[in-house]
Amino acid sequence: KPSSQVLHLSVKTINDKSPKCFSDKIGVPCLFLTRLRFGDGIPIGLQEAIILTERCPGLEKYDFNTASLYRILTEEYGLEISEIYHIVNAVLASRKYAELLEINVGAPLLLEKSITYLADGEPIEATTSYFRVDRHEYSVRFRYRGSKRI
């Protein structure tokens, strides 16, 4: 059973230290959202998201302990998510992440960086996630262009 705990939520603006995908958005309002993600009450991941709020003003008013970010963006604001780009690497848990995820310092983690794009090609969210490898499975499914079968 999935659940979340918001660890940090703040309204800021994009600056020169923000993810590269937002380099042309300096000064644009955004929401910083950090959530600890659980599966059956066990911490399985930590997600640190930056969401541009030009098209979703007031986003910070939602309770992200229970609410789905993508559901809010699509259903409440009428935004169409068209693509999510993922990069996955392996890293070792720092003391901070080990404590939050209830694992040993130096334990392996999956580091996933993602960028969410809207139908017009504009990025709306950049997220860095750290997942426990003993509680997380990563799978990918590709469709070959021109093929009717997967």
Side-chain angles (χ1 to χ4, degrees):
K1 179 182 175 190
S3 61
S4 298
Q5 176 187 356
V6 172
L7 301 179
H8 176 82
L9 186 141
S10 62
V11 177
K12 298 186 178 183
T13 57
I14 297 296
N15 60 43
D16 60 352
K17 292 185 181 3
S18 297
K20 200 184 286 190
C21 64
F22 296 144
S23 62
D24 63 341
K25 303 287 185 182
I26 303 295
V28 169
C30 64
L31 180 69
F32 279 70
L33 174 62
T34 302
R35 292 182 287 179
L36 192 54
R37 310 293 257 172
F38 297 87
D40 294 329
I42 298 168
I44 59 171
L46 180 77
Q47 294 182 308
E48 301 167 330
I50 301 172
I51 306 109
L52 298 182
T53 57
E54 290 177 301
R55 295 166 134 178
C56 47
L59 186 63
E60 71 279 0
K61 295 176 184 163
Y62 289 88
D63 179 5
F64 290 104
N65 289 298
T66 56
S68 161
L69 172 63
Y70 287 177
R71 188 200 62 74
I72 291 168
L73 292 176
T74 58
E75 294 179 16
E76 301 295 325
Y77 290 98
L79 300 173
E80 183 182 345
I81 295 171
S82 66
E83 182 181 356
I84 303 172
Y85 175 68
H86 292 276
I87 298 175
V88 180
N89 290 299
V91 296
L92 301 178
S94 67
R95 181 169 307 284
K96 171 186 171 182
Y97 297 123
E99 288 175 5
L100 288 167
L101 296 171
E102 299 176 5
I103 56 175
N104 293 326
V105 173
L109 294 172
L110 287 179
L111 167 61
E112 178 188 270
K113 293 189 177 199
S114 63
I115 303 169
T116 303
Y117 294 90
L118 298 175
D120 63 5
E122 287 294 311
I124 191 157
E125 175 205 22
T127 299
T128 301
S129 302
Y130 298 88
F131 292 108
R132 289 174 53 161
V133 298
D134 64 332
R135 299 283 179 173
H136 186 79
E137 178 179 271
Y138 190 82
S139 62
V140 179
R141 184 176 185 175
F142 293 98
R143 180 183 294 266
Y144 176 71
R145 291 187 190 269
S147 174
K148 293 184 181 179
R149 294 183 60 197
I150 294 178

